[in-house]
Amino acid sequence: MSDFVVSARKYRPQTFDTVVGQTSITGTLKNAIKNDHLAQAFLFCGSRGVGKTTTARILAKTINCFNRSEQIEACDVCDSCVSFNTGNSLNVYEMDGASNNSVDDIRNLIEQIRIAPQLGTHKIYIIDEVHMLSNSAFNAFLKTLEEPPKHAIFILATTEKHKIIPTILSRCQIFDFNRIRVKDISDHLAVIATKEGVTADPEALHLLAMKADGALRDALSIFDQIVTFAGNTVTYKHVLENLNVLDYDYYFKVVESAEKEDIPSALLILNDIYQKGFDGHNFVNGLTDHYRDLLVCKDVRTLSLMDVPETIQQKFVEQSKLIDSSRILRALSVLSKIDVDYKSSKNPRLLIEVGLMQLCSLKQEQEKKNG
Ligand SMILES: Nc1ncnc2c1ncn2[C@@H]1O[C@H](COP(=O)(O)OP(=O)(O)OP(=O)(O)O)[C@@H](O)[C@H]1O
Ligand SMILES: [Mg+2]
Ligand SMILES: [Zn+2]
């Protein structure tokens, strides 16, 4: 058997400071521990793979650590930390709301809660996917949540805050976890790549991070997938091929054709895209983003609004110098019309082709107007 461990598990943060992109939450939690001002019930909400379970575990471990550092991190060597790390802690209970969602499960839990901790000061109950609890289980839980014994702390986690009944919400201190920013994800991936002995292009990691859509766990899974495919050197091209995303280059070329008023070349690029099996609507949206980025990089003040790697940013800046803003705005309105009409169109390819012809005629249109 191979001892391969997926990166998402291998690199689960063990301290508050290594949790990526949630500094206001980890900061608040650390302060609460430091000032001995802990709530008895926490609710961690946010989309999947952003660090809710991870943070819940760190919080549990840190509260019970006998030897916390000045930075309010767990020591990882005291009896409490060791028993937590080996999964034998008698003070930290983890329950998965998805598989233990009956009233009986909750009643068992409530029985246990009454017994004071044998080691340390607190008993901590992490209930993951808490929105999956049945209604009657929720109700049974409510009383305990209302008047918990002094030593009990609850950390509830969910991706679906709207499914949590208001009576529970109002009894918890609520933390909304952010989706992780592309830059934070790609920086984190770079660190992990180094640890894994993988050489990866910044552009490759950036693209991968965009694809993860704010979820770090997804980013790490995609990273594993690409390393399996590409080996220890990961290039931009590997990621493109593996994730089936359209290269920036296509958009640069389409805009170039539009500026040269070269309809045939624009149509041939589209054909190429179709032949590679890409979806037309995606292409339209990608081209819209491209024009938007061209507009944004016309002014240094809005450069930061661009979500592309630095090397490619320079290419955008150069292309944007060749097109004036009013033409970009016209292009955006042509594309937004295609986007709206796309779903109802009987011949979406023709719709895009006509759109491309319009883009190639924008210069003429402008000249006529200026007469
Ligand atoms: N903010 C983060 N910083 C560092 N790593 C993270 C972060 N969020 C997620 N990860 C990575 O993804 C893995 C899964 O994270 P975690 O279980 O905490 O997500 P979650 O928010 O509980 O997701 P779900 O809603 O799917 O349960 C972690 O083991 C870690 O590798
Ligand atoms: Mg979780
Ligand atoms: Zn400790």
Side-chain angles (χ1 to χ4, degrees), residues 65-67 75-78 81:
C65 173
F66 293 121
N67 215 345
C75 71
D76 265 338
V77 292
C78 71
C81 286

Side-chain angles (χ1 to χ4, degrees), residues 8-54:
R9 278 189 50 204
K10 189 166 171 188
Y11 295 103
R12 189 192 278 283
Q14 303 293 332
T15 56
F16 284 121
D17 278 358
T18 47
V19 175
V20 175
Q22 311 290 3
T23 43
S24 70
I25 292 177
T26 50
T28 309
L29 292 173
K30 280 208 251 179
N31 259 333
I33 298 178
K34 187 173 162 191
N35 302 329
D36 209 5
H37 213 92
L38 279 169
Q40 281 202 280
F42 297 89
L43 179 64
F44 290 178
C45 326
S47 56
R48 58 180 210 290
V50 295
K52 299 181 297 297
T53 304
T54 304

